[in-house]
């Protein structure tokens, strides 16, 4: 289970805005080549940074604009959480791990990643049970769980150190103008006084979140659905070691998850014991958030009732946040030389942890297609190419969207007949041959 936009730059407390010259880097390729091949990326969260790093891996320069202020960090900094990061965690699928391995970043990430060796699935108060085990599926793991604090820090460090990536923070996009051979992006920023600037490139990729400014400026409408739910996300300690097991539990309120976490390292949770620390995603109806946020005793008791003895006794609760759950789908993901990506393209329910991993597969495919254009000496922002990208990603995207919605609605439907059917389906999933490998491969992002 994974959060909605895992956005590195989520910070509502920043009141001033300026370009930090220490973070703005000029590409080391020659200026003519950079002008010809440059990509503009709006939105510097996890998806935007990852896409810029994917492009750099293929030798493609990009300029990334982020509306908030990036922190000043160095490779020698410890891993303490900073105010710009929240307490959320991300479940990285095997395919996402492979993508980070391809660009040489996984060695930097894995020290704070906790592998998932097994997944237990059940419904509260029902007989249906299923389990995925890595030995049975003959995989190293089903994925990895990582705190956003660490993932964001490492992505930012890698981008700061990459000469093909120019970072501009505190940049507010105000206009997008498309020409036949390029895109002009206008943005404002603050130094000693407010400034306005324009950048031109062959292509603009918008990774600026669910409420995307670029998407709105392009006049791209969205199809939205309010689940009337909120996700309560935080960290807990149990008296039973997690043993690298992820627990998916369905309750009348919605899907829940307890995921294994690594030992803390300088994040303010030093009292947590080795192997007893877990990420929790608790879904509740909209309007009930406060009682789970403000009262640790009530929160822990509610978790205990929902999960029973599967995770052991819930002993302590760390800080947590509440995030409204709404599905937002862009009605189109390509407009001329502009691509809508990440949560700007599809914001999904966090059930099964598919959202961020789907975004990474999108980014990987587009980076590969653009790389092939460069090798052929052709235009990386060619609208025909971008339309091919949009079409190529439809099958994977639609499958994931349908799966997430089917799980959410199927496991919260109160009809007794529907409840019986889904529990029979869980048992069948657990017992029938050939079903588990298929579902496991989809969940790991290996079938798209």
């Amino acid at each position: 289970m994974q959060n909605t936009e895992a956005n590195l730059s989520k910070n509502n407390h920043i009141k001033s805005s300026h370009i930090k010259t220490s973070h703005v880097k000029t590409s080391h390729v020659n200026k003519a080549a950079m002008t010809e091949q440059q990509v503009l990326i709006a939105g510097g969260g996890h998806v935007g940074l990852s896409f810029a790093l994917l492009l750099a891996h293929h030798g493609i320069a990009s300029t990334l604009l982020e509306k908030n202020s990036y922190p000043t960090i160095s490779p020698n900094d410890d891993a303490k959480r900073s105010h710009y990061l929240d307490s959320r965690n991300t479940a990285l699928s095997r395919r996402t791990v492979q993508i980070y391995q391809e660009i040489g970043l996984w060695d930097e990430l894995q020290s704070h990643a906790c592998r998932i060796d097994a997944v237990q699935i059940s419904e509260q108060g029902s007989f249906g049970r299923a389990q995925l085990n890595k030995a049975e599926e003959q995989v190293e793991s089903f994925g990895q769980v990582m705190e956003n604090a660490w993932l964001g820090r490492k992505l930012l460090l890698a981008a700061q150190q990459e000469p093909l990536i120019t970072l501009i923070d505190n940049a507010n996009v105000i206009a997008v103008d498309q020409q036949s051979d390029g895109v002009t992006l206008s943005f404002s920023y603050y130094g000693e006084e407010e400034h306005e600037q324009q950048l031109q490139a062959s292509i603009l990729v918008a990774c600026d979140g669910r409420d995307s400014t670029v998407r709105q400026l392009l006049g791209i409408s969205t199809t939205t659905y309010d689940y009337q739910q909120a996700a309560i996300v935080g960290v807990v300690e149990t008296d039973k070691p997690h043993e690298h097991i992820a627990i998916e539990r369905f309750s009348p309120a919605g899907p829940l998850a307890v995921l294994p976490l690594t030992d803390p390292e300088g994040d303010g949770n030093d009292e947590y014991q080795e192997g007893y620390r877990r990420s929790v995603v608790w879904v509740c109806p909209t309007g009930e958030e406060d009682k789970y946020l403000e009262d640790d005793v009530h929160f822990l008791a509610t978790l205990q009732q929902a999960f029973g003895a599967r995770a052991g006794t819930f002993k302590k609760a760390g800080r947590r946040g509440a995030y409204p759950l709404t599905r937002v789908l862009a009605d189109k993901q390509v407009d001329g030389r502009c691509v809508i990506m990440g949560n700007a393209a599809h914001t999904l329910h966090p059930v099964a942890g598919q959202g961020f991993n789907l975004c990474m597969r999108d980014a990987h495919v587009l980076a590969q297609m653009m790389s092939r254009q460069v090798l052929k000496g052709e235009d990386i922002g060619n609208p025909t190419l971008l339309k091919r990208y949009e079409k190529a990603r439809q099958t994977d995207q639609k499958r994931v969207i349908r799966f997430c919605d089917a799980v959410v609605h199927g496991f919260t439907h109160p009809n007794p007949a529907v409840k019986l059917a889904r529990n029979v389906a869980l048992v069948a999933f657990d017992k029938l041959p050939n079903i588990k490998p298929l579902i496991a491969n989809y969940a790991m992002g290996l079938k798209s």
Side-chain angles (χ1 to χ4, degrees):
M1 186 171 275
Q2 180 253 338
N3 55 20
T4 51
E5 177 82 347
N7 196 327
L8 169 66
S9 56
K10 188 177 181 68
N11 176 15
N12 297 323
H13 304 294
I14 298 173
K15 297 182 180 179
S16 63
S17 180
H18 59 285
I19 290 184
K20 294 191 172 183
T21 56
S22 62
H23 295 160
V24 180
K25 307 195 302 295
T26 302
S27 170
H28 291 174
V29 298
N30 69 70
K31 187 171 250 184
M34 181 177 176
T35 301
E36 180 183 353
Q37 297 295 347
Q38 187 181 28
V39 180
L40 294 178
I41 303 172
H46 292 174
V47 176
L49 286 167
S50 296
F51 182 59
L53 291 165
L54 279 164
L55 292 177
H57 177 69
H58 291 291
I60 301 174
S62 65
T63 297
L64 188 151
L65 296 94
E66 166 54 39
K67 67 179 179 180
N68 293 310
S69 177
Y70 280 134
T72 301
I73 56 178
S74 74
N76 298 322
D77 288 343
D78 62 25
K80 289 183 179 179
R81 285 193 177 96
S82 301
H83 66 278
Y84 72 100
L85 289 165
D86 54 43
S87 59
R88 291 179 290 180
N89 308 279
T90 297
L92 307 178
S93 71
R94 278 184 59 80
R95 184 67 189 116
T96 296
V97 171
Q98 289 173 354
I99 291 171
Y100 283 132
Q101 288 172 334
E102 286 179 22
I103 62 176
L105 192 58
W106 184 246
D107 286 346
E108 290 292 321
L109 293 174
Q110 65 180 349
S111 65
H112 279 52
C114 189
R115 72 181 189 276
I116 298 174
D117 291 345
V119 182
Q120 296 178 352
I121 309 166
S122 61
E123 180 174 4
Q124 183 180 359
S126 299
F127 63 87
R129 301 282 188 277
Q131 178 163 316
L132 291 169
N133 185 283
K134 72 173 186 178
E136 293 177 1
E137 305 308 323
Q138 299 180 343
V139 295
E140 179 185 358
S141 71
F142 291 108
Q144 305 274 345
V145 184
M146 184 176 298
E147 291 173 274
N148 287 2
W150 183 254
L151 177 59
R153 173 181 177 270
K154 285 299 183 180
L155 291 175
L156 179 56
L157 273 172
Q160 288 176 336
Q161 295 169 352
E162 172 52 64
L164 289 177
I165 300 175
T166 299
L167 296 176
I168 304 176
D169 59 0
N170 289 301
N172 297 298
V173 176
I174 55 178
V176 176
D177 181 34
Q178 297 201 59
Q179 301 87 41
S180 61
D181 59 350
V183 181
T184 301
L185 183 145
S186 302
F187 65 98
S188 63
Y189 65 93
Y190 286 88
E192 295 181 357
E193 58 186 32
E194 185 176 3
H195 298 273
E196 186 174 317
Q197 187 169 326
Q198 290 185 333
L199 292 173
Q200 292 182 322
S202 296
I203 180 176
L204 168 63
V205 180
C207 304
D208 52 346
R210 184 188 68 177
D211 301 319
S212 170
T213 298
V214 172
R215 189 186 64 214
Q216 294 177 41
L217 289 171
L218 291 172
I220 298 175
S221 57
T222 59
T223 302
T224 63
Y225 177 82
D226 187 350
Y227 291 101
Q228 299 184 355
Q229 295 176 332
I232 310 297
V233 181
V235 176
V236 298
E237 178 191 350
T238 61
D239 68 349
K240 179 181 178 181
H242 58 62
E243 298 179 323
H244 298 278
I245 297 173
I247 304 173
E248 295 273 358
R249 184 81 160 148
F250 294 93
S251 77
L256 322 169
V258 172
L259 307 177
L261 284 177
T262 57
D263 296 339
E265 183 174 328
D267 65 356
N269 293 318
D270 295 331
E271 73 275 12
Y272 287 124
Q273 302 175 61
E274 180 179 0
Y276 296 79
R277 189 165 171 264
R278 310 186 192 216
S279 165
V280 170
V281 181
W282 169 267
V283 176
C284 68
T286 301
E288 296 184 5
E289 300 93 327
D290 288 349
K291 62 183 180 182
Y292 299 114
L293 295 175
E294 298 171 357
D295 188 339
D296 286 1
V297 174
H298 176 73
F299 182 59
L300 292 171
T302 303
L303 292 177
Q304 197 70 62
Q305 182 180 15
F307 285 93
R310 288 167 182 78
T313 301
F314 290 86
K315 295 176 60 178
K316 294 181 181 178
R319 67 176 185 176
R320 49 201 177 273
Y323 306 92
L325 300 181
T326 305
R327 183 187 66 216
V328 180
L329 305 177
D331 290 344
K332 61 179 178 178
Q333 296 177 32
V334 169
D335 184 287
R337 292 178 172 269
C338 299
V339 177
I340 309 300
M341 185 180 286
N343 275 12
H346 38 68
T347 299
L348 308 181
H349 196 285
V351 65
Q354 293 297 307
F356 178 69
N357 296 299
L358 180 62
C359 295
M360 285 297 293
R361 297 198 293 275
D362 292 343
H364 186 260
V365 169
L366 183 57
Q368 286 187 319
M369 294 179 74
M370 292 169 65
S371 175
R372 288 193 288 268
Q373 288 290 97
V374 171
L375 292 174
K376 293 186 295 184
E378 298 181 1
D379 182 6
I380 60 176
N382 185 307
T384 301
L385 169 78
L386 302 184
K387 280 296 183 182
R388 288 206 305 269
Y389 156 77
E390 183 180 39
K391 184 176 180 180
R393 295 301 301 143
Q394 285 180 354
T395 299
D396 189 19
Q397 291 176 359
K398 289 179 179 179
R399 173 183 57 78
V400 170
I401 293 165
R402 285 196 302 265
F403 171 74
C404 291
D405 278 353
V407 171
V408 172
H409 295 301
F411 276 91
T412 56
H413 200 293
N415 187 296
V418 176
K419 183 175 183 179
L420 175 63
R422 65 187 178 232
N423 277 271
V424 170
L426 272 179
V427 173
F429 168 73
D430 195 53
K431 301 299 182 185
L432 294 178
N434 302 323
I435 296 180
K436 279 188 181 182
L438 178 64
I439 299 300
N441 280 335
Y442 277 133
M444 292 185 288
L446 301 180
K447 294 285 188 180
S448 60

